[in-house]
Amino acid sequence: MQASKTKVSVVGLGYIGLPTAAVLASVGHDVIGVDVDTHVVNTVNRGETHIVEPDLDGLVSSAVSSGRLRATTTPEEADAFLIAVPTPFKEGKQPDLVYIEAAARALAPKLRQGNLVILESTSPVGATEKLSDWLKQERPDLRLPSLNGEEADIYIAYCPERVLPGSTVTELVKNDRVIGGMTIECAARARALYQTFVRGECILTDARTAEMTKLTENSFRDVNIAFANELSVICDELDINVWELITLANRHPRVNILKPGPGVGGHCIAVDPWFIVDSAPESARLIRTAREVNDAKPRWVENKIEQAIAEASKCLGRSIHIACLGLAFKPDIDDLRESPALEIAHTVIKNSPNDVLVVEPYIDTLPHSLSDSGKARLVDTATAIEHSDVLILLVDHTQFKTVDRASLVGKVVVDTRGAWT
Ligand code: SAJ
């Protein structure tokens, strides 16, 4: 496939769609970004970004100024359509495919014979077949691979994104890609597109295996984090420093324990394992338990904080001042989605009789869930340390890890990330 001759429509300009659109444009494709949010569309058309991600600003700005990337709210004709919309879960932790369905139905009228449709959104097994069915409902005139196999007019593949927030632009290019075609030709066509910008290997499989691969990667990580989180609870009961324990155990050549924390946040690891549980509820016992262990961790941390606050106020004989350090779901990013830090800060603020100082270096204003209380104040790290008795470290941002330890002397510290241990 000639990079300069391919018109690619990227549907969904979020954390995955926008960087992918910009990278596609940077290698010479003519890219149309589609999003239902006019604010996002207008921002991109100004050459700006609505998300914070290293190297993304420059990439989007040069893609737009070169004329290779533009955004719109309605799909247009293209050679390839790449769907990167959210897949949340609904009540009962069941995957909600409503955004994929809406994207499919919106782009269907623009489909022409020979088009390639790629689903990148994390999806339960079988979602790509559903996508094909939705396209068929909208376009009975076209032959789809779910019904017509290699005779189809449209090529459909599932190619999960697997980039790490904070390194998205680098990993989009560097990582291997798993490409699951609904037919062999579908996979080959999708690979031809990815090979124009991916420097990692593009490995072909079928769509169902590719869907399960993505869910497996994130479930593997979730189970391993759950192991670390469970250890931290056990060690607390046994009066053992879990950070030291993990450092020592990891000296074994075949042991590599991850880091305990205040819980698992973000849009992926806390969600995707449920897609496996939903598909195989009887068999996915370990995966379900890992989710439950990680989901229970914020409550456990909140209890620990309550105890620390009670002890500090007993010692000082007065009500005390608290600071929460970090709201993001992981270090050195601005993303507060599904963040256990945000959840815990909310509880701390709700229970505190005094104002609570909050530090989050990556945001300018507090989210409503905290500011609505009227008791939360966004301050810098130095101010928070100077004016509080109890410091609750919720995210291991580099800025926090490098604070002068002398400034912590005399403070009660609840370090949920082991950053100051
Ligand atoms: N966490 C811990 N301890 C650890 C590692 C992580 O508590 O040792 C927590 C983090 O603080 C965070 C959560 O887990 O709250 C998830 O963070 P993460 O860095 O593990 O993963 P994400 O959600 O940023 O990105 C993951 C990645 N998946 C894997 O590493 C298998 C990424 O490659 C995927 O593309 C992404 O999910 C996704 O979009 O699915």
Side-chain angles (χ1 to χ4, degrees):
M1 189 174 300
Q2 288 295 306
S4 55
K5 288 193 180 144
T6 306
K7 191 169 174 186
V8 187
S9 176
V10 177
V11 184
L13 292 175
Y15 283 80
I16 298 302
L18 182 57
T20 306
V23 168
L24 281 163
S26 75
V27 297
H29 295 291
D30 180 13
V31 184
I32 310 151
V34 184
D35 203 286
V36 289
D37 186 334
T38 47
H39 167 70
V40 170
V41 166
N42 293 337
T43 306
V44 172
N45 282 333
R46 284 197 307 271
E48 295 165 10
T49 61
H50 59 291
I51 45 182
V52 178
E53 185 62 43
D55 302 329
L56 185 60
D57 287 4
L59 204 62
V60 170
S61 134
S62 61
V64 172
S65 60
S66 72
R68 291 201 187 277
L69 172 64
R70 65 191 165 81
T72 166
T73 50
T74 40
E76 296 174 16
E77 285 194 351
D79 301 311
F81 294 85
L82 199 151
I83 302 173
V85 295
T87 36
F89 50 50
K90 42 189 178 189
E91 206 67 27
K93 308 253 193 285
Q94 286 178 332
D96 189 350
L97 302 187
V98 67
Y99 298 113
I100 298 179
E101 181 176 352
R105 294 196 192 279
L107 70 83
K110 304 295 171 192
L111 283 179
R112 287 171 300 158
Q113 195 172 15
N115 276 173
L116 171 65
V117 180
I118 297 172
L119 180 60
E120 281 211 5
S121 312
T122 302
S123 301
V125 173
T128 312
E129 286 153 24
K130 284 201 174 118
L131 166 68
S132 182
D133 292 344
W134 289 320
L135 294 177
K136 182 73 191 166
Q137 284 168 17
E138 296 297 319
R139 292 293 302 274
D141 56 312
L142 290 171
R143 289 176 299 173
L144 275 296
S146 48
L147 292 172
N148 299 89
E150 295 291 6
E151 305 301 314
D153 296 322
I154 305 294
Y155 303 97
I156 302 181
Y158 180 73
C159 308
E161 61 81 16
R162 35 178 23 186
V163 292
L164 196 69
S167 311
T168 297
V169 173
T170 318
E171 291 206 357
L172 259 178
V173 173
K174 196 187 75 183
N175 290 2
D176 292 347
R177 293 299 292 235
V178 174
I179 297 175
M182 289 198 74
T183 64
I184 290 167
E185 182 60 17
C186 292
R189 298 238 173 185
R191 177 168 60 185
L193 179 63
Y194 282 100
Q195 278 178 333
T196 61
F197 69 95
V198 170
R199 284 207 298 269
E201 214 177 313
C202 293
I203 305 138
L204 305 193
T205 183
D206 59 83
R208 290 173 71 85
T209 308
E211 289 162 346
M212 188 62 180
T213 303
K214 169 69 191 188
L215 301 179
T216 300
E217 291 163 2
N218 280 354
S219 299
F220 173 84
R221 194 151 169 86
D222 196 45
V223 168
N224 281 280
I225 298 169
F227 180 75
N229 277 333
E230 187 166 289
L231 269 183
S232 72
V233 174
I234 295 168
C235 283
D236 186 71
E237 280 173 27
L238 302 182
D239 202 18
I240 290 169
N241 180 325
V242 70
W243 309 103
E244 187 191 355
L245 172 88
I246 291 173
T247 308
L248 295 176
N250 282 351
R251 299 295 285 259
H252 186 287
R254 284 174 296 283
V255 173
N256 186 14
I257 302 168
L258 295 181
K259 286 167 65 182
V264 168
H267 213 55
C268 313
I269 295 193
V271 175
D272 304 350
W274 288 118
F275 292 5
I276 298 182
V277 175
D278 184 63
S279 298
E282 296 301 319
S283 308
R285 291 186 297 152
L286 182 61
I287 295 170
R288 180 201 299 272
T289 303
R291 269 295 61 247
E292 286 166 357
V293 167
N294 287 333
D295 272 355
K297 194 68 193 294
R299 296 294 82 68
W300 185 86
V301 169
E302 283 168 10
N303 284 336
K304 287 280 142 198
I305 293 170
E306 212 177 293
Q307 284 166 22
I309 291 170
E311 276 165 33
S313 62
K314 202 167 139 200
C315 265
L316 292 171
R318 58 171 168 80
S319 77
I320 50 142
H321 297 280
I322 307 166
C324 290
L325 273 61
L327 297 175
F329 86 85
K330 63 183 217 170
D332 299 329
I333 60 167
D334 71 324
D335 195 340
L336 308 189
R337 290 179 301 171
E338 316 292 332
S339 173
L342 184 62
E343 206 181 317
I344 294 166
H346 179 264
T347 305
V348 170
I349 293 161
K350 191 176 74 188
N351 295 341
S352 171
N354 298 323
D355 282 1
V356 173
L357 303 179
V358 178
V359 188
E360 179 40 76
Y362 291 90
I363 60 171
D364 299 323
T365 44
L366 284 173
H368 284 296
S369 62
L370 302 191
S371 60
D372 286 354
S373 69
K375 288 196 288 174
R377 266 205 303 136
L378 187 64
V379 297
D380 62 31
T381 308
T383 309
I385 294 176
E386 191 187 336
H387 296 285
S388 54
D389 308 301
V390 175
L391 288 169
I392 305 166
L393 187 123
L394 296 169
V395 185
D396 43 348
H397 286 314
T398 305
Q399 188 183 113
F400 301 154
K401 285 198 285 191
T402 52
V403 299
D404 181 4
R405 298 296 191 277
S407 66
L408 306 178
V409 172
K411 310 281 177 190
V412 172
V413 169
V414 181
D415 178 1
T416 68
R417 299 276 185 174
W420 293 333
T421 303

